[in-house]
Amino acid sequence: MTALLWIRFIAGTALIICGIIVFGIELFGVFKFGYVLNRMHAAAMGDTFGIALSMLGLVILCGLNFTSLKMMLVVMFLWFASPVASHMLARFEVATNEELDRMCDTGGLARTAEDRDPES
């Protein structure tokens, strides 16, 4: 029984440490990149994966009970909320940044107001 507790402790701790490493890489990406869309991408991807690893490690350490169910529900909520929020911020940046073509290769995605509504 003691060996299983040690295996569970090592697995849970390893997942938490991996989650902290992912958060560190995310933090480096947020400060390294200069453009807001690059920063947002690094933050969104790091949050989703880092929180999943950290919470999975906590679930393993806590065992299967009601608390671990709540932690998994938090992970599921963040998996749905983080990409939606990132997408909304990216659309806002594309819609409001007038110098988007200068900062990144859009491939013709950024259009002026006259291009969107030809009847006006």
Side-chain angles (χ1 to χ4, degrees):
M1 184 68 173
T2 306
L4 288 176
L5 289 175
W6 275 104
I7 291 171
R8 193 170 92 181
F9 175 74
I10 291 170
T13 305
L15 284 171
I16 291 173
I17 290 171
C18 288
I20 291 171
I21 290 170
V22 168
F23 284 134
I25 293 169
E26 167 200 350
L27 185 65
F28 175 74
V30 167
F31 284 112
K32 180 195 175 293
F33 293 126
Y35 186 55
V36 67
L37 292 177
N38 296 337
R39 290 180 182 178
M40 184 197 58
H41 180 72
M45 299 306 284
D47 280 346
T48 304
F49 189 54
I51 287 173
L53 285 175
S54 298
M55 286 292 196
L56 186 61
L58 289 174
V59 166
I60 288 173
L61 287 175
C62 186
L64 293 176
N65 55 22
F66 191 66
T67 304
S68 62
L69 174 69
K70 289 191 282 186
M71 285 189 273
M72 292 311 293
L73 288 174
V74 167
V75 169
M76 288 183 61
F77 172 74
L78 290 172
W79 276 351
F80 287 117
S82 181
V84 170
S86 298
H87 184 74
M88 289 175 56
L89 286 171
R91 286 183 59 105
F92 179 73
E93 176 67 19
V94 168
T96 59
N97 191 352
E98 295 174 358
E99 298 179 359
L100 189 65
D101 289 330
R102 185 180 64 82
M103 294 185 184
C104 61
D105 181 27
T106 58
L109 292 177
R111 297 180 291 175
T112 61
E114 294 83 26
D115 292 339
R116 288 186 203 131
D117 190 17
E119 295 178 10
S120 60

